[in-house]
Amino acid sequence: QKEVEQNSGPLSVPEGAIASLNCTYSDRVSQSFFWYRQYSGKSPELIMSIYSNGDKEDGRFTAQLNKASQYVSLLIRDSQPSDSATYLCAVNMRTGANNLFFGTGTRLTVIP
Amino acid sequence: GAVVSQHPSWVICKSGTSVKIECRSLDFQATTMFWYRQFPKQSLMLMATSNEGSKATYEQGVEKDKFLINHASLTLSTLTVTSAHPEDSSFYICSARGGDAEAFFGQGTRLTVV
């Protein structure tokens, strides 16, 4: 089992819809969770961090964490064509700066 | 967010030569830096993890004598691709973090070996 798993997609949603991106992780004691966005040909950029169970909202983005289910998701409301990118889930497993694992990413396309 | 600067953003070199890529954390102390390689339409592939003042830890299959990593200070890490070959052409990306906080990525370096 991979440490961090994401559906590779591609995921296509119409403009204005809600895009839901999911991620599961293997280490139950993981404490820190991150979502990155990577546009084609560019490096990833951090868009959300979440540390506690529940929802964390930032503009059109909502991160959801369920540690019991070892599941973290990212919702994008009112999706825009500019949201089309690959979204990477990252999990810091246990303590230690070296223990940051990335999923392979989900490719999202928002259709105008 | 914090700023990580990677230089150069692109480089073309001749086969057999060496290329050095720099990664700097501009506004925080990076206790750990990561180096990735990404081929077109593929996922990030972690090459190595380095802690300041220590030898880098390389992922399986990555040749440490070919990809030399130096993390001599809390703000600078370098990746040197030695004796580059066309198959080394790729997008190289560094990221940096302080402690177990978020990691921030550099802009990436597109290497073309001719």
Side-chain angles (χ1 to χ4, degrees):
Chain A
Q1 181 188 7
K2 293 182 180 178
E3 291 89 355
V4 179
E5 295 206 50
Q6 294 181 254
N7 187 326
S8 61
L11 172 66
S12 295
V13 300
E15 184 174 355
I18 295 175
S20 177
L21 303 158
N22 305 316
C23 173
T24 58
Y25 57 95
S26 61
D27 191 341
R28 180 173 289 278
V29 299
S30 299
Q31 296 296 321
S32 310
F33 308 85
F34 312 99
W35 282 100
Y36 291 81
R37 175 177 62 199
Q38 185 178 22
Y39 290 114
S40 181
K42 302 292 186 182
S43 64
E45 58 179 324
L46 178 70
I47 53 173
M48 290 284 282
S49 306
I50 187 166
Y51 304 95
S52 304
N53 276 328
D55 295 358
K56 179 181 178 182
E57 187 174 316
D58 183 0
R60 295 187 295 110
F61 297 97
T62 299
Q64 298 176 317
L65 175 61
N66 184 327
K67 291 185 179 181
S69 299
Q70 295 173 232
Y71 175 94
V72 58
S73 65
L74 180 70
L75 301 179
I76 306 174
R77 290 183 301 281
D78 188 22
S79 296
Q80 301 296 309
S82 58
D83 295 326
S84 298
T86 296
Y87 289 81
L88 300 163
C89 170
V91 178
N92 194 70
M93 296 195 176
R94 303 182 180 268
T95 56
N98 293 349
N99 298 326
L100 182 65
F101 292 90
F102 280 84
T104 53
T106 299
R107 171 72 190 165
L108 171 67
T109 300
V110 180
I111 303 167
Chain B
V3 178
V4 175
S5 177
Q6 188 173 339
H7 179 81
S9 57
W10 62 270
V11 58
I12 301 173
C13 72
K14 290 185 177 181
S15 187
T17 61
S18 295
V19 173
K20 180 183 281 189
I21 302 170
E22 290 188 352
C23 181
R24 294 181 183 272
S25 57
L26 298 186
D27 52 3
F28 69 101
Q29 292 186 326
T31 49
T32 304
M33 287 191 172
F34 305 88
W35 286 96
Y36 298 87
R37 180 167 53 181
Q38 188 173 38
F39 294 105
K41 300 190 185 300
Q42 295 190 19
S43 305
L44 287 176
M45 188 193 81
L46 179 65
M47 299 175 67
T49 302
S50 72
N51 292 306
E52 182 263 340
S54 303
K55 289 184 179 180
T57 301
Y58 289 81
E59 295 299 301
Q60 192 172 5
V62 178
E63 300 174 57
K64 62 180 181 181
D65 294 330
K66 180 170 180 61
F67 299 100
L68 302 178
I69 291 172
N70 184 286
H71 190 170
S73 77
L74 284 171
T75 59
L76 174 64
S77 177
T78 60
L79 167 67
T80 302
V81 183
T82 63
S83 187
H85 290 284
E87 57 265 32
D88 297 324
S89 299
S90 188
F91 190 42
Y92 292 85
I93 313 172
C94 72
S95 73
R97 67 190 312 205
D100 59 0
E102 302 94 333
F104 295 92
F105 285 83
Q107 305 95 316
T109 298
R110 195 161 303 281
L111 170 64
T112 302
V113 184
V114 297

